[in-house]
Amino acid sequence: MKADLVIKNARVVRHDGEYFGGVAVKDGKIVLTGADEVLPDATRTIDAGGRVLMPGLIDPHCHLGVKFPFPEDMRTETAAAASGGVTTALLYIRNLKESYLPFYEERKALGEENAVIDFGFHFGIQREEHIAEIPEIIAKTGVKSFKCYFGYEPDNPIGIVPATDGWVYAAMRILSKIPGAVINVHCENTQIASWIKKEIAATGRQDLGAYTESRPAFCEVETIRRMIFLAEKTGCSLHLVHTSVGMGPVLAAEAQARGIHVTVETCPHYLTRTCYDDDLDMRAKISPPLRDRNELEGLWAGMLNGSVYSLGTDHVPFLPKKLEDLWTEFPGVVSFPWELSLMLHFGVHQRGLPLSRLVELNSFNPARRFGLWPRKGHIDVGFDADLVLVDLDEERTVEHTGKGTCIYEGWTLKGWPVMTVARGEVVYENGAVDERHYGRGRCVTVPAA
């Protein structure tokens, strides 16, 4: 057998351990793994030079097509993702119309015309009709993951329709009966936050800390507790997105011990930034907000002890922020190109986070959680050849030239992705994504065959 691609002389790291050698790829799939001497001849052979080869990242949390045209975002942002070692991106996407079915077909087609990497969808529940439509959506699109948003007041600047407990409960009752279905919740107590916000905004404060103090950590903790309670009552599988509080992983671990299926995602910004960092202003407004050092350390405890389940960037390329008023500023930052480097620098190098644990957080767990297993998230025979080659020792300074707001610019990080392979094709190398790769990505949330 002659392979299409062989990568050899690599430290191959999986969620369950590592070995020295490489992989062989044919027709987009991994066909052999093992020591260098067992790998076949190939059309292209890459010598990894002893660097780390990991499964490509599955970023289960991004928002594209919010403020820029969707096709444009699918080009620019999936290329940015590929540069960061991401080989599959799952979009949290909202539709205000009655049905998601025409919306899905349109977004799937536009995505496949433009994306560099594979992509899929989670759907936001934005009106009552969406709840009744869940069984049909799952049957006709393959999307089994739905999101409810708390923490947004009705007049929020990005047009999100906030959920009610009734919506969550109704959706949970339906999803609990469908294998593999999951509800994702943005946890913040909207009413308490809006009350405190009025008090703090009246003082005239415009610093980033004021935004955080207007929606304190206990607002998130309270809603996490409430959602776990409803998940227990209904038997529904619950995923806590972009968790910013240290109590999140603790509460989830307690619930898991009682047999409740609940998992916690956090994001690179909550692990690397605080709302009181001297160099940050309203540009770093994110929803939920950056927290203080105590919450950051609590999340790292969960990263290291296994109670944080997965990582997502919550990448959202907004228009340039206006920097006029903290309270009406759009929330959101971009992180696709740097998430892996941030975790290598602050996690692996500084805190001793095992590389196998990072693979679990970035690839293995998201694949299992969102129905991509056993196709993605692992380096083994039969899996898609989604791979990232990492230089653990390379030091590079973050430079942001794309859309959206970057809160890491000028940081020098140790550990960078140097090559990304998506379904067997090298899509990122020598610091660039080749033009010919636009439109090669495929939608991974499709109806069951």
Side-chain angles (χ1 to χ4, degrees):
M1 175 193 74
K2 186 172 183 181
D4 300 327
L5 174 70
V6 160
I7 302 175
K8 65 177 187 178
N9 191 22
R11 178 186 170 192
V12 182
V13 179
R14 315 191 319 174
H15 68 277
D16 55 358
E18 57 181 83
Y19 67 91
F20 200 86
V23 300
V25 177
K26 192 165 181 64
D27 299 328
K29 299 275 188 187
I30 296 170
V31 291
L32 192 65
T33 67
D36 289 343
E37 52 267 27
V38 305
L39 298 173
D41 289 338
T43 305
R44 181 177 180 189
T45 298
I46 295 166
D47 186 335
R51 290 175 293 198
V52 168
L53 187 68
M54 304 162 71
L57 277 63
I58 298 168
D59 188 339
H61 193 150
C62 64
H63 305 271
L64 304 181
V66 181
K67 290 295 177 185
F68 291 96
F70 183 74
E72 182 190 314
D73 267 2
M74 290 302 282
R75 287 176 72 81
T76 60
E77 305 313 290
T78 62
S83 76
V86 178
T87 52
T88 307
L90 301 180
L91 286 63
Y92 282 99
I93 200 158
R94 292 178 292 117
N95 167 36
L96 297 175
K97 295 179 180 169
E98 283 186 30
S99 174
Y100 264 104
L101 299 176
F103 181 80
Y104 166 82
E105 293 297 341
E106 175 209 29
R107 293 295 166 109
K108 176 178 180 283
L110 289 171
E112 291 189 338
E113 284 170 23
N114 292 283
V116 174
I117 59 171
D118 290 351
F119 63 93
F121 302 112
H122 317 270
F123 288 151
I125 293 171
Q126 293 289 275
R127 48 194 293 170
E128 286 187 12
E129 291 91 336
H130 295 161
I131 299 168
E133 193 186 33
I134 285 173
E136 190 181 7
I137 292 173
I138 291 174
K140 292 185 176 173
T141 71
V143 174
K144 289 185 173 185
S145 175
F146 298 83
K147 183 177 181 183
C148 284
Y149 298 80
F150 291 102
Y152 289 95
E153 294 154 274
D155 61 346
N156 66 84
I158 46 180
I160 287 174
V161 181
T164 65
D165 286 4
W167 282 14
V168 173
Y169 177 68
M172 280 184 170
R173 283 196 309 184
I174 296 168
L175 293 168
S176 67
K177 297 177 175 64
I178 300 167
V182 57
I183 192 156
N184 308 262
V185 183
H186 173 144
C187 291
E188 283 185 286
N189 186 303
T190 319
Q191 284 77 20
I192 294 175
S194 89
W195 192 266
I196 303 172
K197 174 183 151 186
K198 284 180 198 146
E199 296 175 348
I200 295 184
T203 69
R205 282 178 64 185
Q206 289 284 316
D207 58 294
L208 187 63
Y211 175 65
T212 295
E213 290 161 33
S214 78
R215 39 207 325 111
F218 79 81
C219 286
E220 189 169 332
V221 172
E222 185 279 335
T223 306
I224 289 172
R225 289 183 187 275
R226 210 165 77 239
M227 294 305 109
I228 288 173
F229 177 82
L230 291 175
E232 187 169 23
K233 287 289 170 207
T234 57
C236 184
S237 184
L238 169 66
H239 188 57
L240 303 170
V241 293
H242 53 44
T243 303
S244 71
V245 294
M247 273 301 287
V250 175
L251 292 169
E254 289 174 357
Q256 287 161 6
R258 299 201 308 273
I260 305 164
H261 193 205
V262 53
T263 50
V264 169
E265 165 196 276
T266 193
C267 309
H269 37 271
Y270 301 124
L271 294 162
T272 59
R273 281 298 212 170
T274 81
C275 61
Y276 301 114
D277 289 357
D278 290 340
D279 62 323
L280 294 182
D281 56 18
M282 67 177 76
R283 270 181 289 249
K285 180 179 175 180
I286 306 170
S287 181
L290 295 177
R291 303 283 180 195
D292 62 22
R293 179 66 49 183
N294 285 339
E295 303 299 341
L296 181 151
E297 292 298 337
L299 290 170
W300 272 113
M303 289 279 288
L304 292 160
N305 70 22
S307 56
V308 169
Y309 182 82
S310 58
L311 287 165
T313 58
D314 200 2
H315 177 102
V316 54
F318 274 135
L319 301 161
K321 300 209 180 186
K322 294 177 182 171
L323 303 181
E324 292 169 0
D325 174 52
L326 173 73
W327 305 104
T328 56
E329 186 64 88
F330 288 142
V333 297
V334 289
S335 303
F336 271 159
W338 313 291
E339 189 261 12
L340 181 53
S341 293
L342 288 162
M343 293 304 100
L344 292 169
H345 183 95
F346 290 100
V348 174
H349 288 306
Q350 290 196 0
R351 293 174 185 262
L353 184 75
L355 283 169
S356 56
R357 171 78 177 121
L358 189 56
V359 169
E360 190 178 49
L361 288 155
N362 268 333
S363 307
F364 176 67
N365 283 349
R368 288 191 305 161
R369 193 62 166 122
F370 296 113
L372 304 180
W373 187 268
R375 180 179 159 192
K376 294 188 179 292
H378 192 35
I379 296 178
D380 206 358
V381 173
F383 280 76
D384 285 358
D386 292 340
L387 307 161
V388 57
L389 188 64
V390 169
D391 188 331
L392 284 181
D393 298 316
E394 180 176 341
E395 294 196 16
R396 202 188 304 166
T397 300
V398 173
E399 293 177 28
H400 177 48
T401 54
K403 299 170 176 170
T405 302
C406 167
I407 57 173
Y408 315 107
E409 199 145 17
W411 282 13
T412 299
L413 301 175
K414 184 177 181 181
W416 285 85
V418 293
M419 179 181 284
T420 304
V421 178
R423 266 188 296 105
E425 281 189 81
V426 178
V427 293
Y428 170 77
E429 63 179 325
N430 303 320
V433 172
D434 194 301
E435 281 281 323
R436 66 195 164 91
H437 294 307
Y438 291 107
R440 61 164 299 285
R442 290 291 165 263
C443 183
V444 293
T445 38
V446 291

